[in-house]
Amino acid sequence: MVISGYTWKSFFHKPSILGKLMPFSTPGASIRDLLVAGGRLNYRALLQLANESSEQSFVRKLGHWVLAGDRVMQGLITPANSPRIETVLFDPDSMDMQAKDAPQSLTELVYVFYKSPPSSEEVCSFTLGRIYDNDFVMPDYAVSRTQAVIHVLRGTRFRIRSLGGSNPVRVNNAPIEQEVPLREGDVVAFGRLSFTLLAPSGLYLHLKGIQPQLRLRQLVNSLGQANFKQLKEYSVKFNENIFTQIMHRPSLVGSGVFRGYASRVSDLDPEITMGFLADITNGIDVVPFKVLGRSIYPLIHPERFEENGEEILTIGRGLDNDISMADAAISMHHAQIRFGSEGQYFIRDTNSTNGILVNNQVFKGNEKELFDGDKIKIGRHEFTFMFPSTLYHHLVERNRQN
């Protein structure tokens, strides 16, 4: 289809948008040497860097997350009713929601979350649209002049907000009407163009032809527990920077079992939770338990959201939880962890039988913010709340002891 004298292909290949392609061969080069017009990276130089570098070196040089071109959706294109509106209306084909081969031009579009000079603010915002004064210029007439803004908190937390327009912003095929969080591997569509949010290590794998989201998913089973042996191997194979890129979020790491008194529970009713009272005769201490120490639950892929779009991860004995723990002293739906909009994590009790302790204290109020190294009692078990870098050093130490 021709719109205002441009086919989609000709608009995509306008020199002012694609910029000049230059080789990237300087050993000490930085991300600034990869930047071209419209917030994009020089794809050929990026591919050359990936082919000539280790993953560690690639991540160190890039250092920023990206939106990588994924595909062009098929659907019905209709010119707007008003001649003042240049954006065409696009109705995606519901049968085309599955990924198809994208034209090479789109796969070479990689937008990087980087501003020069770098911002000192904790939250950095990027606008996306068709016109050139956006941070990310999307070359398609089905994209509004300024269609969305993405807020980046501390370089690794992302939230997207639609600014209206002729066509909705879609996240994982669903139109959004309010600000929502983004995670690595999420597919975001503007007009007909869809992109995947990737961390630097994810982009490295993408350029190598590997699906990056599979790496983390393959680490975690259906109960939300990570493969301990594979995580230890990662702590040997990768340095701290790449390991934290892979994990992204904190984990609950088993540390011990509480001594105490338990009530008897009939085996005939699995719905009943066993009452448990910790023995505080000599203080609240846990007994180190080697098997429990291999239990690591990354806080990833929650499927529930608050009304404001914040993610909620559920913990309990029931198999319908994001993290399912087989302990009779843990309620079917014991607790929730809320992912705050500014990178915080909050734990709340959901009317469990035995409650929750954080650092051996019963917290007051509806929820308590968690910090790196906090000790959390759930049922008879104690877990340590660890951010990725802390988990990395924890596993390195375990490797030294073995």
Side-chain angles (χ1 to χ4, degrees):
M1 177 179 179
V2 178
I3 305 170
S4 302
Y6 288 104
T7 63
W8 178 84
K9 185 175 181 180
S10 66
F11 186 85
F12 214 97
H13 284 85
K14 288 177 68 178
S16 59
I17 294 174
L18 288 183
K20 295 177 65 178
L21 294 174
M22 296 180 291
F24 182 74
S25 57
T26 306
S30 67
I31 188 173
R32 290 188 296 274
D33 299 288
L34 287 167
L35 285 171
V36 288
R40 294 177 302 102
L41 294 174
N42 182 324
Y43 183 81
R44 293 182 190 174
L46 194 65
L47 188 60
Q48 178 185 342
L49 178 63
N51 289 332
E52 296 179 353
S53 305
S54 65
E55 183 173 9
Q56 176 179 341
S57 177
F58 181 89
V59 168
R60 186 174 63 252
K61 289 181 179 179
L62 185 60
H64 297 268
W65 289 51
V66 301
L67 283 177
D70 178 55
R71 64 191 177 100
V72 178
M73 294 188 292
Q74 302 297 311
L76 178 64
I77 296 176
T78 307
N81 295 327
S82 171
R84 295 183 178 181
I85 302 177
E86 299 177 354
T87 307
V88 300
L89 302 179
F90 175 66
D91 183 19
D93 185 349
S94 60
M95 301 299 292
D96 183 55
M97 288 302 184
Q98 300 299 319
K100 295 183 177 179
D101 291 337
Q104 183 178 356
S105 302
L106 181 60
T107 60
E108 293 184 359
L109 278 183
V110 179
Y111 296 92
V112 62
F113 289 96
Y114 170 82
K115 287 191 175 183
S116 180
S119 173
S120 60
E121 300 294 329
E122 282 200 350
V123 179
C124 191
S125 300
F126 296 79
T127 59
L128 305 90
R130 192 177 71 245
I131 60 176
Y132 298 127
D133 57 355
N134 288 290
D135 295 299
F136 296 165
V137 181
M138 304 276 181
D140 184 15
Y141 277 109
V143 177
S144 296
R145 295 171 65 85
T146 299
Q147 184 156 359
V149 60
I150 295 179
H151 302 296
V152 185
L153 173 68
R154 299 171 187 167
T156 58
R157 296 279 293 169
F158 295 80
R159 297 185 66 84
I160 185 169
R161 178 166 59 91
S162 173
L163 299 178
S166 302
N167 300 301
V169 176
R170 297 175 181 271
V171 176
N172 299 326
N173 295 330
I176 63 170
E177 298 180 355
Q178 58 185 0
E179 187 172 296
V180 298
L182 292 176
R183 299 170 292 183
E184 183 175 25
D186 280 349
V187 177
V188 189
F190 310 95
R192 294 177 293 173
L193 311 182
S194 72
F195 299 82
T196 304
L197 178 67
L198 297 175
S201 60
L203 177 61
Y204 179 84
L205 297 176
H206 173 75
L207 295 170
K208 292 288 190 178
I210 303 171
Q211 296 184 40
Q213 58 268 40
L214 291 181
R215 171 179 284 184
L216 189 54
R217 290 176 183 171
Q218 288 173 347
L219 283 175
V220 181
N221 63 21
S222 60
L223 303 180
Q225 184 174 351
N227 184 315
F228 180 76
K229 181 179 179 180
Q230 198 164 4
L231 274 184
K232 286 186 65 180
E233 291 176 354
Y234 277 10
S235 68
V236 174
K237 181 179 179 181
F238 302 114
N239 69 359
E240 181 179 350
N241 190 8
I242 295 179
F243 182 90
T244 56
Q245 292 280 356
I246 294 172
M247 297 304 294
H248 302 319
R249 289 182 171 174
S251 299
L252 297 180
V253 181
S255 53
V257 177
F258 286 90
R259 295 186 178 93
Y261 310 94
S263 62
R264 292 185 178 181
V265 177
S266 171
D267 293 336
L268 300 179
D269 191 350
E271 297 293 323
I272 297 177
T273 302
M274 177 181 69
F276 177 76
L277 180 64
D279 183 0
I280 59 174
T281 305
N282 298 310
I284 303 180
D285 294 322
V286 296
V287 179
F289 192 36
K290 188 173 182 180
V291 174
L292 183 61
R294 299 170 62 90
S295 297
I296 298 176
Y297 297 91
L299 306 186
I300 60 170
H301 302 315
E303 300 297 334
R304 300 162 181 83
F305 298 88
E306 296 274 32
E307 291 183 0
N308 61 2
E310 292 180 343
E311 298 165 279
I312 295 292
L313 183 141
T314 61
I315 302 171
R317 197 169 75 250
L319 296 178
D320 58 341
N321 291 284
D322 297 302
I323 293 178
S324 179
M325 300 177 176
D327 176 10
I330 294 177
S331 298
M332 295 297 289
H333 300 94
H334 197 106
Q336 293 180 345
I337 293 180
R338 176 172 69 87
F339 295 36
S341 60
E342 297 183 357
Q344 320 100 308
Y345 296 87
F346 301 87
I347 191 167
R348 62 174 68 143
D349 190 312
T350 52
N351 297 318
S352 66
T353 299
N354 295 306
I356 299 171
L357 296 180
V358 177
N359 298 326
N360 294 333
Q361 299 292 324
V362 178
F363 59 88
K364 298 180 180 180
N366 295 328
E367 59 184 18
K368 180 175 178 58
E369 184 173 358
L370 295 174
F371 297 94
D372 192 31
D374 278 352
K375 304 291 185 180
I376 305 169
K377 174 188 172 293
I378 303 175
R380 292 175 294 180
H381 297 160
E382 181 183 75
F383 296 87
T384 304
F385 183 75
M386 294 187 186
F387 276 87
S389 59
T390 304
L391 176 59
Y392 172 81
H393 291 288
H394 171 76
L395 293 172
V396 168
E397 184 61 29
R398 288 287 297 261
N399 288 329
R400 289 173 180 167
Q401 294 174 358
N402 293 342

